[in-house]
Amino acid sequence: MTKLSCSYFLVLMLVLSAFLMVERAEGERCHMTIDKETPCDLVDCRLSCYTGYNGVGKCFDDPEVEVPQNCGCLFNC
């Protein structure tokens, strides 16, 4: 009987932790442009986005700015 209750408790804890992880992963995402003045260098872009915002940096073309590519950062708000 003790083994059965321990198994139920373990399954309950696994389900609860999975539910909390899914809820946390569905947070709101934000996007911002980093350093609009210089062309994007992918390595520097990813590093500055990760260190500054704990996000993912990516080079993209912005039609509003004259520089051919800019660094965009996607992160949790």
Side-chain angles (χ1 to χ4, degrees):
M1 183 69 177
T2 316
K3 288 182 182 180
L4 188 60
S5 353
C6 185
S7 297
Y8 283 137
F9 180 72
L10 180 62
V11 169
L12 177 67
M13 292 306 290
L14 287 173
V15 169
L16 183 62
S17 64
F19 176 73
L20 290 174
M21 289 299 288
V22 167
E23 186 174 302
R24 190 175 127 200
E26 293 177 356
E28 189 176 339
R29 305 287 282 177
C30 291
H31 179 270
M32 72 176 302
T33 304
I34 301 173
D35 195 15
K36 295 180 180 181
E37 307 300 321
T38 59
C40 181
D41 177 34
L42 186 59
V43 174
D44 291 337
C45 178
R46 287 183 177 177
L47 183 62
S48 63
C49 180
Y50 182 73
T51 56
Y53 301 97
N54 198 22
V56 178
K58 196 172 191 181
C59 294
F60 71 100
D61 289 327
D62 189 358
E64 298 176 3
V65 182
E66 294 177 11
V67 177
Q69 282 193 331
N70 289 303
C71 176
C73 184
L74 186 64
F75 59 95
N76 290 332
C77 297

